[in-house]
Amino acid sequence: MRGKFITLEGGEGVGKSTNLLFIKEYLEAAGKAVVVTREPGGTEVGEEIRNVLLSHRESSLHESAELLLMFAARSQHLQEIIIPALKGGSWVLCDRFTDATYAYQGGGRDISFEKIKILEDFVQQGLKPDCTFLLDAPIEVGMQRASKRGDLDRFESEEQQFFLRVRATYQKLAKLEKGRFHLVNASQELSLVQSEISSILDQLLVK
């Protein structure tokens, strides 16, 4: 029996790492085998690509190269980790997936959704998450939290307008796929955030 594919999405500092651990423990308590992974990354090749994407360098990374690197890492990730785990009956819990590409490269970099969709279809062959939690918070709140983690990476160092476009795109995606997306107010108390998440997981566990 195929496992379920759950993704966490959202901008900087919305609490994905904290809630990823919460979801993992919640599902394991319900008797599910859980594989936790992330994008970009998740594999040896993917982590090397992640380093290229997130590191600061003197020469700028062109937006089309950035997009292709995202999908190169994703292709390896799917074939090496995600698809085998799902086929084996494990539930896969992933910190960001293709929705992040639409938000960051589409919304943030202004690459057309049509171009992203071509790559999505080629790499994923119709595979999509069963459930996506979109942790949403005002940009100021998220960046204030992110700045406390230490040095900012290449994406975290973008200007505020970039993140406003990313957030708006995420919200647009959530409206387009209401059945898959679950919008969670990440600026509220953590206990309330996790109460919302657990209610949605309970529904998913009985399907």
Side-chain angles (χ1 to χ4, degrees), residues 9 37 50 83 115 170 192:
E9 297 284 355
T37 187
R50 180 186 180 90
I83 292 173
K115 289 179 180 177
Y170 266 135
L192 297 175

Side-chain angles (χ1 to χ4, degrees), residues 68-184:
L68 290 167
L69 284 169
M70 287 290 184
F71 273 103
R74 183 164 297 134
S75 179
Q76 186 71 20
H77 195 199
L78 282 164
Q79 298 305 319
E80 188 177 330
I81 303 293
I82 296 174
I83 292 173
L86 292 173
K87 285 183 176 178
S90 295
W91 286 41
V92 175
L93 180 55
C94 191
D95 182 346
R96 293 205 175 113
F97 193 59
T98 308
D99 296 305
T101 305
Y102 281 102
Y104 280 78
Q105 283 70 52
R109 304 284 189 227
D110 201 28
I111 297 176
S112 72
F113 276 22
E114 289 77 15
K115 289 179 180 177
I116 298 173
K117 184 70 164 60
I118 290 168
L119 292 169
E120 179 186 9
D121 291 343
F122 174 63
V123 169
Q124 294 171 221
Q125 299 292 304
L127 178 66
K128 290 192 117 180
D130 297 290
C131 172
T132 297
F133 291 100
L134 174 54
L135 302 177
D136 180 68
I139 303 303
E140 298 79 9
V141 173
M143 291 311 298
Q144 185 178 24
R145 292 175 180 172
S147 65
K148 294 177 181 177
R149 298 193 300 235
D151 294 337
L152 300 178
D153 64 35
R154 193 173 68 87
F155 283 102
E156 292 170 339
S157 301
E158 288 288 343
E159 296 179 355
Q160 187 179 40
Q161 286 301 314
F162 175 86
F163 295 112
L164 289 171
R165 294 193 298 273
V166 168
R167 187 186 184 200
T169 304
Y170 266 135
Q171 292 174 340
K172 176 182 177 182
L173 293 170
K175 288 178 182 176
L176 289 172
E177 290 192 69
K178 291 182 179 179
R180 173 169 69 88
F181 271 90
H182 299 278
L183 184 63
V184 179

